[in-house]
Amino acid sequence: MLPRMKKIVTLFLVMAMILITASCSAGNESSGKPHGNETANNGNQNTDEQKQEPSSDGKYKEAPELAELVAKGELPPVEERLPEEPCVVEVSEEGKYGGSYAGGGFGPSHGQLDTEGLRFVGLLQIEPDLQTFTPSILKDYEISSDFKEYTWYLRKGMKWSDGHPFTADDFMFFYEDILLNEELTPAIADAYKAGGEVMKMEKIDDYTIKITFKEPYPAFEVVMAKSFWTRLYAPKHYLQKWHIKYNEKANELAKEEGYESWFQAFNYHLDDSQAQQDTERPNITPWVLYKIDEVGNKYYKRNPYYWKVDQFGNQLPYIEEQRVVLVQDSEMRIMKLISGELHAAAENPLPVKDYPLYKENESKGQYKVYLFNNTRGSDCAVVFNLTTKNQDLRPIFNDIRFRQAMSLAIDRQKINDTLYLGKAKVRQAAMPSVTSFFEEWMETYYAEYDPDKAGQLLDEIGLKWNADKTARLLPNGKPIRIILETTEEFIPMCEIVAEDWTKIGVETILKQQERSFFQERVPANEVECSAFTYDSVHEFNLRVGTANLLPPFKSITLTVAPLWNDWVDSNGQKGEEPPAEILDLRERVLKIMGLEAGSEEYMELGKSIASDMVKGLYFIGTTVAPRVVIISEKLGNTPTEGTFATDYGFWYPYKGDTWYFK
């Protein structure tokens, strides 16, 4: 085994920023492990990485609200609520307890990352430099020299928010009874696999777990760091009564709750995402859901058993409560920011075209506006469904010349000037330029505005103009017509795209859908053409086979060919088999997951993957703009610069549990 926390795994991550750590230390020899060759910079973080005792007298401090409950005998003392070795977080400012933080939410199950992102916790913490991982939920861990074996050491005495012990049993419950249960997990994600085989999890004792893979999996640390999305544990003591293995009457219980089967009821109670409805479910996050009001606003209270403290011995989080305030649209969110009803915003990107409005109202709203880096492949990308049910359009969509033509027909500079005040970068949908094997041609490939060349390509494939040149005709003589579906956020970009495509004779009808409905239609193969953000495309995600990078490019919002995905997920029992070139690309992506970043084979394979994905024009990109980030001046320990991206969990590197009201 490697010495604890001494193995350096290079990930080549993003954005040149000043190296800062506000690390979680267990009070032992563990130290942060860098995972890349870039540095990053975040405004309000302590640059000193050192081990500190929580307080000189060995006593911990807690919020007054919790101290009152202790005095009444309704809650154990803070020393009994914390683990033996809590996670110690270095803060630049010792915060104050109290306050209710409000963030916008665009629906009951989505658009809530401005609150959820502050609740994220992972086995490892992604530090603000975006290259260093430090122990978080884990006290420590070891990796074998061949990257096939990971040993996790949990924090003794750590508890769920209801006071129940958090132990290896919660990990084994997830592994044995959720991940390996076909009714709960019909298709196991590639993030849990190496060499095509699912990982093996073994309980050594209550606080030690061993993970074994068939083949090397050096990128598994990424999965550990992003375990807020890639689930690795669940509260066994709470959930087992809905599981058929532990309750033979689980189906009866499910029917009493209005479900047809036990696994439907189980999934309802398991869910702790933005869509969570069970207000009794315990968690290990800094705040836990306790109320949903009549209009759908959600309320999260401080977790009294939260297992982190600052270097001064204060139990985190400082803030008492989180509120998700539902907003109808982006304009309503802006008004609530200006009126001071919301305390931060960055998710569902704030339109850059309104940047002057944000700046003009800084004093009135008592907030600051920042421009953060963005690692999206494209803020808005268009996808033609290659397995569309429309048999007139399917052969057209599958002709690469058609996708080339439609890319050339988009006036990206107009999108930039109109919607981003010229602050965006015109580019094709490709991995971000900070990717280690990125080449400049990738972001300019068929990204120039050339409607004449687009017309020539359409002529080549037989989409000729009608007599009066008002529309191009399909082989059956009918005018070609495409329905482009998207959600509110991408309507302004798509209006320009639809206009440009119609100009070259491909009539495009834009259709706005409610986001949840849109996310149901896309994977169900109901959509001809769709648009959404081309996100999670950094090699950070490539190496664990997640998001849009694993062919056949499955995503909840952008799916190139839903029937290909059905075939892969069902092991060939459903859907349609993808073409050979797609299966080959998939195999290369699976192979790179087992390679050490930066090696000669890794670089060569990565370059071939990135190249083929761009040349296939499976995703047609437009622009990438900086992320507008607004944060209330009332808050402390907040970032002033950095990267805001799904690759790293949005707010996760900036440690929302250390934010406080001044």
Side-chain angles (χ1 to χ4, degrees):
M1 298 289 256
L2 297 176
R4 292 186 183 181
M5 300 301 294
K6 299 299 181 182
K7 180 68 182 177
I8 298 177
V9 179
T10 306
L11 285 180
F12 295 96
L13 298 178
V14 304
M15 304 307 171
M17 304 164 12
I18 300 171
L19 174 62
I20 297 172
T21 46
S23 67
C24 257
S25 115
N28 55 22
E29 297 181 355
S30 296
S31 62
K33 297 167 58 176
H35 294 259
N37 65 350
E38 297 97 342
T39 57
N41 160 359
N42 163 36
N44 289 320
Q45 298 292 335
N46 194 319
T47 57
D48 295 326
E49 182 179 1
Q50 56 183 321
K51 178 177 63 178
Q52 294 197 30
E53 292 299 323
S55 61
S56 58
D57 59 1
K59 298 291 184 181
Y60 296 103
K61 307 164 197 172
E62 62 189 342
E65 295 86 354
L66 298 182
E68 290 179 9
L69 294 176
V70 173
K72 294 178 182 178
E74 298 176 10
L75 195 66
V78 62
E79 288 81 8
E80 295 179 18
R81 301 197 309 270
L82 288 168
E84 292 179 10
E85 297 178 270
C87 181
V88 180
V89 182
E90 296 282 334
V91 296
S92 58
E93 302 169 1
E94 184 175 9
K96 300 176 183 177
Y97 285 118
S100 180
Y101 168 94
F106 287 88
S109 62
H110 68 273
Q112 301 172 18
L113 272 164
D114 285 328
T115 46
E116 185 190 35
L118 275 63
R119 296 195 302 273
F120 282 155
V121 291
L123 299 188
L124 305 178
Q125 172 69 45
I126 303 173
E127 294 294 339
D129 64 11
L130 306 182
Q131 64 173 338
T132 304
F133 296 157
T134 55
S136 186
I137 293 172
L138 297 183
K139 184 184 73 172
D140 209 344
Y141 66 106
E142 295 175 347
I143 309 172
S144 64
S145 58
D146 61 3
F147 296 102
K148 292 183 179 180
E149 188 175 282
Y150 290 73
T151 304
W152 297 342
Y153 301 95
L154 307 181
R155 298 181 184 277
K156 292 182 179 179
M158 184 170 161
K159 298 176 177 65
W160 291 93
S161 57
D162 60 1
H164 194 279
F166 177 81
T167 69
D169 289 340
D170 297 304
F171 290 81
M172 297 305 299
F173 177 66
F174 160 75
Y175 174 68
E176 295 176 343
D177 301 320
I178 300 177
L179 186 68
L180 299 184
N181 185 290
E182 293 184 359
E183 289 182 285
L184 292 173
T185 312
I188 297 178
D190 290 289
Y192 301 106
K193 301 176 183 177
E197 290 190 10
V198 180
M199 67 185 190
K200 294 182 179 179
M201 182 181 288
E202 177 185 2
K203 173 183 174 180
I204 305 303
D205 57 42
D206 284 346
Y207 297 98
T208 310
I209 299 164
K210 183 176 290 185
I211 307 291
T212 306
F213 293 97
K214 176 186 176 183
E215 294 183 1
Y217 193 0
F220 189 58
E221 280 183 295
V222 179
V223 176
M224 294 161 60
K226 296 181 72 172
S227 57
F228 46 81
W229 277 331
T230 309
R231 190 182 299 277
L232 290 163
Y233 54 85
K236 178 179 180 179
H237 70 285
Y238 181 74
L239 293 172
Q240 60 187 355
K241 74 175 181 178
W242 289 283
H243 200 294
I244 197 70
K245 174 180 174 181
Y246 299 93
N247 179 8
E248 61 182 14
K249 296 183 178 180
N251 277 313
E252 295 176 23
L253 178 60
K255 287 181 171 59
E256 290 174 7
E257 296 185 357
Y259 298 98
E260 293 182 1
S261 62
W262 72 269
F263 56 84
Q264 292 173 325
F266 183 90
N267 280 326
Y268 169 85
H269 295 285
L270 171 68
D271 188 7
D272 62 349
S273 70
Q274 298 178 33
Q276 180 181 348
Q277 294 294 308
D278 183 352
T279 57
E280 301 295 325
R281 185 201 192 282
N283 216 317
I284 58 170
T285 50
W287 301 274
V288 292
L289 181 66
Y290 76 95
K291 183 175 73 172
I292 304 174
D293 67 22
E294 62 278 2
V295 298
N297 299 318
K298 291 183 176 180
Y299 300 81
Y300 295 79
K301 62 183 176 182
R302 178 191 284 118
N303 176 0
Y305 292 89
Y306 194 53
W307 36 277
K308 291 186 182 182
V309 299
D310 66 17
Q311 71 265 38
F312 307 106
N314 299 299
Q315 184 188 25
L316 299 173
Y318 297 125
I319 293 175
E320 174 68 18
E321 182 186 62
Q322 273 195 343
R323 289 178 287 124
V324 177
V325 179
L326 294 186
V327 295
Q328 181 178 347
D329 51 34
S330 58
E331 290 184 3
M332 180 183 288
R333 178 173 63 164
I334 292 170
M335 293 302 102
K336 286 184 177 294
L337 283 164
I338 292 173
S339 66
E341 296 177 58
L342 302 179
H343 295 109
E347 194 233 347
N348 272 41
L350 291 151
V352 177
K353 66 180 177 60
D354 293 327
Y355 183 78
L357 174 67
Y358 312 143
K359 292 295 291 184
E360 289 168 7
N361 286 278
E362 276 187 323
S363 296
K364 180 180 179 181
Q366 294 183 282
Y367 59 69
K368 287 293 184 182
V369 183
Y370 309 99
L371 293 179
F372 275 43
N373 294 319
N374 186 357
T375 56
R376 282 177 165 177
S378 180
D379 282 334
C380 179
V382 183
V383 166
F384 293 103
N385 180 0
L386 302 186
T387 58
T388 176
K389 293 188 290 187
N390 188 325
Q391 295 303 314
D392 290 332
L393 293 177
R394 186 189 280 212
I396 304 297
F397 289 176
N398 278 273
D399 191 320
I400 185 62
R401 293 171 296 177
F402 177 78
R403 302 200 295 276
Q404 291 169 344
M406 302 308 274
S407 183
L408 290 170
I410 299 173
D411 189 346
R412 294 169 173 83
Q413 192 57 49
K414 182 179 180 181
I415 293 175
N416 188 13
D417 294 338
T418 305
L419 303 177
Y420 298 108
L421 305 177
K423 293 180 179 293
K425 183 177 181 61
V426 168
R427 79 189 310 265
Q428 188 53 268
M431 295 181 195
S433 58
V434 291
T435 302
S436 62
F437 38 76
F438 174 84
E439 295 181 335
E440 289 187 9
W441 68 266
M442 295 176 181
E443 65 181 5
T444 61
Y445 188 76
Y446 280 88
E448 68 271 22
Y449 179 50
D450 194 340
D452 291 336
K453 186 176 179 181
Q456 292 171 11
L457 288 167
L458 295 179
D459 287 338
E460 283 183 24
I461 61 179
L463 296 178
K464 303 295 185 181
W465 285 102
N466 59 5
D468 54 2
K469 283 202 167 185
T470 57
R472 290 184 178 271
L473 304 178
L474 292 164
N476 62 12
K478 296 179 182 178
I480 184 170
R481 178 180 297 167
I482 295 171
I483 298 176
L484 170 57
E485 299 186 35
T486 190
T487 60
E488 180 215 4
E489 179 184 341
F490 306 100
I491 287 294
M493 302 80 145
C494 290
E495 285 176 338
I496 296 175
V497 171
E499 180 181 330
D500 289 342
W501 286 356
T502 300
K503 284 179 182 177
I504 63 168
V506 179
E507 183 184 1
T508 304
I509 300 170
L510 184 57
K511 190 172 184 179
Q512 180 176 332
Q513 299 285 16
E514 189 277 326
R515 186 166 175 172
S516 298
F517 184 57
F518 177 76
Q519 291 175 337
E520 292 175 1
R521 285 178 56 76
V522 170
N525 205 44
E526 296 293 335
V527 175
E528 293 175 355
C529 181
S530 61
F532 206 80
T533 179
Y534 184 53
D535 216 344
S536 296
V537 293
H538 193 277
E539 61 190 290
F540 196 88
N541 297 290
L542 170 67
R543 298 184 61 227
V544 293
T546 58
N548 296 316
L549 283 168
L550 183 62
F553 317 118
K554 181 177 182 178
S555 165
I556 193 170
T557 45
L558 278 181
T559 303
V560 170
L563 297 185
W564 294 353
N565 283 297
D566 292 345
W567 187 89
V568 171
D569 290 344
S570 66
N571 294 316
Q573 299 302 306
K574 299 178 181 178
E576 296 178 9
E577 182 175 2
E581 63 268 22
I582 294 295
L583 293 176
D584 173 70
L585 185 55
R586 177 180 175 82
E587 287 304 312
R588 280 181 279 155
V589 173
L590 293 174
K591 183 176 181 181
I592 205 171
M593 292 168 63
L595 299 178
E596 190 165 0
S599 66
E600 183 177 348
E601 185 179 6
Y602 172 88
M603 295 298 289
E604 181 179 339
L605 197 59
K607 189 177 297 184
S608 77
I609 293 168
S611 175
D612 286 355
M613 288 183 64
V614 171
K615 289 180 179 178
L617 289 175
Y618 305 107
F619 303 91
I620 297 176
T622 51
T623 55
V624 171
R627 292 295 289 255
V628 177
V629 174
I630 295 179
I631 302 177
S632 171
E633 291 183 306
K634 299 175 184 178
L635 294 170
N637 285 334
T638 53
T640 59
E641 57 185 336
T643 295
F644 191 85
T646 185
D647 295 312
Y648 316 102
F650 298 103
W651 292 109
Y652 184 51
Y654 309 113
K655 305 178 182 177
D657 52 8
T658 70
W659 295 13
Y660 72 96
F661 284 98
K662 298 178 181 178

